Amino acid sequence: LVEGDGKMGYVYTLNPDLRTVKKNPVRIAFLMKDKVAVSSGLDDVGQVITDGVSYLTETSVVRAVSHDTTSK
């Protein structure tokens, strides 16, 4: 979540070119500690950017890296 106001907020998503970003409006379902549940606004979105979002603008060029979210 980049910014929010009540039940609305914004997230940055990775465009299909895997290099540029888009700032998308989302509806916030609820917040729990450092987690955000999004109820709408991410239809047809492949990847949400979670790291470094405070440095992004809609003209930013990024390099996508994947994080292993599975623990053994």
Side-chain angles (χ1 to χ4, degrees):
L1 193 65
V2 179
E3 57 186 79
D5 182 17
K7 293 290 183 182
M8 295 302 296
Y10 292 90
V11 297
Y12 278 105
T13 58
L14 190 60
N15 286 326
D17 66 6
L18 303 178
R19 293 181 40 98
T20 57
V21 301
K22 179 181 179 185
K23 189 176 180 181
N24 292 296
V26 294
R27 180 169 300 279
I28 300 168
F30 63 88
L31 303 169
M32 182 191 283
K33 296 184 181 181
D34 64 342
K35 307 287 186 218
V36 177
V38 174
S39 60
S40 66
L42 294 177
D43 297 332
D44 301 319
V45 168
Q47 297 182 52
V48 174
I49 299 172
T50 58
D51 291 337
V53 294
S54 59
Y55 301 102
L56 295 177
T57 67
E58 290 206 67
T59 60
S60 294
V61 175
V62 298
R63 181 176 55 91
V65 296
S66 64
H67 292 283
D68 183 9
T69 58
T70 59
S71 304
K72 293 184 181 184

